[in-house]
Amino acid sequence: MKKVFVSRPIFPDVIDRLRRYFEVDAHDGLALPADEIAARLADKDGAFIAGDPVGAKAIEGAPNLKVVSNMAVGYNNFDMQAFNAHGVLGTNTPDVLNETTADFGWALMMATARRITESEHFLRLGKWKEWSYDAFTGSDIYGSTLGVIGMGRIGQALARRARGFSMRVIYHNRSRVAPEIEAELNAEYASKEDLLKRADHVVLVVPYSAESHHTIGEAELALMKPSATLTNIARGGIVDDAALIDALRRKQIAAAGLDVFEGEPNFNRNFLTLSNVVLTPHIASASEATRRAMANLAADNLIAGLGEGPRAGNPPNPINPDVLKK
Ligand code: GLV
């Protein structure tokens, strides 16, 4: 029987699915450090990974390793150069989380613009004594300009929702999307600089890479309107968190909504000193149904990638399909 490692606690029935095909070594505790993950991978044929880093050292130390399945759409936790060099297939879980993540992007953007968590804290602290004309006045979503940076599948799902709020949609992406998609979304392509100057609400949905590192830093924040909000549902590192803290402190922009952070879960604690930021612990895809769909898709990828089950040899979501040809 082939051996697989599961890096974090996951739905028990998904572990049971894996046990039908494999000898499973399931880690049942807090996230492991990289060297312990590497040690657990050393004798394995495959792995089910939930966002943990799998780098060159782990790959080099696991001669039997064939498939590493990520339960996430983003896979910046994988060193794909090392995967390719050693013929290891990486897989991810796209599409099943698009709508749930887009819903959350809206929830976070709206909570940020309308100061929902800040006002709830005020209420919980017993500070609500009377109605006031200027209490927690925020900025409107309806009729405003949405700026989407990253017009992939989640960015498009997010932009599609803007129609119901009569918003103007501008977007920036590495390449323009097809004209029919622009027409369907009523979305106008803009340079990053132009988008930052014009948008009332900027939402980040780009994958993390060396190229997207600090897409938003001091210079970019300086271009935004003082009334604008910034929402990040993509990855930590796309925003320069220290620069954002400084901009929020100086009210250079109105507010930010953040689901992801540099160094998470050890995020910059200075965020906690600010009232104009909404903070959530990387939960954009966390509906019960979607997390189940992601876990099952990650299992499908691992099972098929290791040559088992109904799709043996043909996993649904290969990141580096060329290794399958070898
Ligand atoms: C979550 O962050 C994902 O990449 O799926």
Side-chain angles (χ1 to χ4, degrees), residues 70-77 93-94 97 101 154 233-235 259-260 264 282-285 291 294:
N70 209 27
M71 186 183 143
V73 62
Y75 52 85
N76 55 300
N77 53 317
T93 58
L97 47 53
T101 306
I154 298 170
I233 53 166
R235 272 291 179 279
D259 187 47
V260 287
E264 64 181 59
H282 202 146
I283 57 167
S285 66
R291 283 286 165 85
M294 291 167 72

Side-chain angles (χ1 to χ4, degrees), residues 307-324:
E308 303 288 345
R311 287 184 64 123
N314 181 26
N317 313 106
I319 297 165
N320 51 344
D322 282 354
V323 308
L324 286 170

Side-chain angles (χ1 to χ4, degrees), residues 5-304:
F5 170 62
V6 180
S7 72
R8 305 242 187 148
I10 212 74
F11 299 101
D13 51 291
V14 175
I15 304 267
D16 288 344
R17 276 189 67 205
L18 295 175
R19 285 197 206 283
R20 277 186 235 150
Y21 303 100
F22 310 119
E23 188 181 319
V24 178
D25 169 18
H27 171 61
D28 191 20
L30 297 175
L32 291 169
D35 56 343
E36 279 184 46
I37 292 184
R40 298 279 278 268
L41 285 177
D43 64 338
K44 301 299 187 305
D45 302 280
F48 181 118
I49 297 287
D52 307 276
V54 181
K57 218 174 126 210
I59 296 289
E60 281 156 19
N64 301 332
L65 197 63
K66 286 281 171 293
V67 184
V68 182
S69 172
N70 209 27
M71 186 183 143
V73 62
Y75 52 85
N76 55 300
N77 53 317
F78 288 177
D79 179 342
M80 290 312 300
Q81 220 175 328
F83 279 50
N84 289 331
H86 291 82
V88 175
L89 179 73
T91 65
N92 66 341
T93 58
D95 294 322
V96 291
L97 47 53
N98 293 348
E99 301 301 336
T100 298
T101 306
D103 279 354
F104 189 84
W106 274 83
L108 192 53
M109 175 177 79
M110 294 187 78
T112 303
R114 296 300 307 275
R115 305 173 63 176
I116 288 178
T117 55
E118 182 191 357
S119 62
E120 187 189 342
H121 290 147
F122 173 87
L123 177 152
R124 283 178 183 265
L125 289 170
K127 293 183 175 176
W128 186 23
K129 301 292 181 221
E130 59 188 353
W131 181 91
S132 163
Y133 76 100
D134 63 350
F136 299 105
T137 50
S139 51
D140 279 314
I141 300 287
Y142 180 86
S144 67
T145 298
L146 173 67
V148 180
I149 299 186
M151 199 52 123
R153 291 165 287 209
I154 298 170
Q156 290 174 28
L158 198 104
R160 197 166 291 120
R161 286 157 170 74
R163 197 179 280 268
F165 289 80
S166 295
M167 292 175 94
R168 190 174 300 107
V169 179
I170 53 182
Y171 78 97
H172 181 71
N173 200 47
R174 247 183 325 190
S175 47
R176 275 182 82 145
V177 299
E180 31 320 343
I181 296 177
E182 281 189 359
E184 186 221 326
L185 301 174
N186 200 15
E188 176 199 340
Y189 182 81
S191 69
K192 183 170 98 174
E193 289 69 26
D194 188 34
L195 180 149
L196 291 169
K197 283 182 197 162
R198 288 167 59 200
D200 296 305
H201 304 290
V202 175
V203 184
L204 302 170
V205 213
V206 278
Y208 182 80
S209 65
E211 201 188 321
S212 67
H213 181 74
H214 289 185
T215 294
I216 301 292
E218 191 185 339
E220 289 76 19
L221 290 159
L223 295 174
M224 292 175 67
K225 299 180 188 183
S227 55
T229 71
L230 175 71
T231 296
N232 187 5
I233 53 166
R235 272 291 179 279
I238 290 167
V239 175
D240 176 345
D241 284 351
L244 177 59
I245 286 164
D246 188 49
L248 289 168
R249 193 171 276 150
R250 292 188 289 107
K251 304 270 166 62
Q252 186 174 40
I253 67 167
L258 306 172
D259 187 47
V260 287
F261 304 85
E262 290 188 290
E264 64 181 59
N266 299 314
F267 64 96
N268 188 327
R269 292 306 193 255
N270 289 326
F271 278 122
L272 300 177
T273 67
L274 301 168
S275 57
N276 54 346
V277 64
V278 179
L279 309 166
T280 53
H282 202 146
I283 57 167
S285 66
S287 74
E288 169 78 16
T290 291
R291 283 286 165 85
R292 279 201 161 274
M294 291 167 72
N296 276 301
L297 186 54
D300 292 345
N301 276 310
L302 184 56
I303 293 165

